[in-house]
Amino acid sequence: MNNHLLALGDFSRETLRSLIDRALALKADRKRGLRNQTLAGRTICLLFEKPSTRTRVSFESGMYGLGGQVIFMSAKESQLGRGEPLKDTARVLSRYVDAIVVRTFGQNVVEELARYATVPVINALTDLYHPCQVLSDLMTVLEVKGTLDGVKTVWIGDGNNMANSWIEAASVFGFPLTLACPAGFDPNEAILAKARARGTLPISIVRDPAEAIRGAEVVNVDVWASMGQEAEQEQRIGLFRQYQLDAALLAKADRNAVVMHCLPAHRGEEVTEEVLEGPQSVIFDQAENKMHIHAAILEHFILKGRAA
């Protein structure tokens, strides 16, 4: 069994579905007032080089909810910001904690930490992937649609880390995915090629968002400039303007389509206020589900990872 969660494509459909099912069970328990203590006596380290609201709080709340403890460290508070070799950080932290949750820039960072760590390393976001977020998104789709099989899904906007993880999810779970991206902003070519080889349903890239969204059951959008791309914000607004999800574009989707956004949202840019606050938006359910899926991930990898 893979002892680390670095990318969705590293896992089988069965393993990822078990994480979602466990998250749904934990969510149901919480609503009934039940508190699991499966991680009592365990500790995780959140090692974040990028700022966060939802990811940090949802991991902390998920871990505390299972009886565990959390140590949070930003880059400026750790030796990562002072040039300590990643292999040293990995081996030392492995002696102190039961899992390392990392939010950083390069995928190479989480890969090297995983290479040397003797505890699970969880990718909480890199510039290449955002696997935990997309797992919570899939959980939300399953809740509102009742299945993941064949659900026509669309991504509109930048071919960023979220797009890359959605591509992997489509290949693992078997649903059609269309991505509408401006020329020059496509998702990672290698990830796309590998997913197409593995998957059974089409994963398509188009330029026209109206073509992409036609008949879609799940509509995903994200900010046009991710963290680290702030200098490109104004340029991207001009290039991405036609990719805004407004009521007119949403009307071309299936009438029961749901709208998703991993937040934070720039209202009036990638999505209008009307759509974000509208009846088809499941954005805040999606945000809540981060806490439940993160709890399920931590439980799974901490309790089973050492035996892998």
Side-chain angles (χ1 to χ4, degrees), residues 227-244:
M227 281 178 286
Q229 299 171 336
E230 290 81 4
E232 304 173 24
Q233 179 73 22
E234 291 305 313
Q235 177 193 16
R236 284 173 174 252
I237 287 175
L239 292 170
F240 282 80
R241 196 174 304 279
Q242 66 171 310
Y243 292 84
Q244 181 186 81

Side-chain angles (χ1 to χ4, degrees), residues 144-145 151-154 213-220 245 249-260 275 278-282:
V144 297
K145 297 295 182 183
V151 175
K152 186 176 180 181
T153 304
V154 64
I213 203 172
R214 194 168 295 117
E217 299 170 86
V218 175
V219 181
N220 288 281
L245 182 61
L249 184 59
L250 182 58
K252 300 179 186 298
D254 183 88
R255 63 189 182 94
N256 294 315
V258 295
V259 173
M260 305 184 76
V275 169
Q280 291 173 267
S281 171
V282 294

